Amino acid sequence: MCKQPVKPPVSAQRPVQSPCISVCALNASDICEGCFRSAGEISRWGAMNNDERRTVLKRCTERARQMGRIW
């Protein structure tokens, strides 16, 4: 019988860290030039759960690619 790893309860998980690099400047599209989060995502970050934060981080990566900041 194969045992599946047990995920700790949500409350026991460490919070996903903010991608903020202290380069806080919103562009014309309201996207931060430092972390690539939208203004709304930045303001809601503290209230988000880890799954929501991971979704935002994926969006940030895609935005950075679209902006030519990562390949």
Side-chain angles (χ1 to χ4, degrees):
M1 183 159 96
C2 182
K3 284 184 136 180
Q4 294 291 335
V6 177
K7 278 179 76 174
V10 173
S11 61
Q13 291 180 7
R14 290 182 11 189
V16 171
Q17 294 299 303
S18 166
C20 181
I21 60 168
S22 298
V23 177
C24 306
L26 296 178
N27 65 21
S29 299
D30 268 349
I31 301 298
C32 178
E33 293 286 338
C35 68
F36 305 102
R37 290 181 291 172
S38 69
E41 291 165 344
I42 292 167
S43 66
R44 291 190 311 271
W45 186 265
M48 290 181 184
N49 64 38
N50 280 346
D51 289 337
E52 293 168 318
R53 289 177 178 193
R54 287 183 194 100
T55 298
V56 168
L57 292 178
K58 288 177 187 174
R59 284 190 213 130
C60 292
T61 300
E62 184 55 37
R63 288 180 189 130
R65 279 192 184 104
Q66 289 174 352
M67 294 168 75
R69 304 291 175 83
I70 61 173
W71 296 262

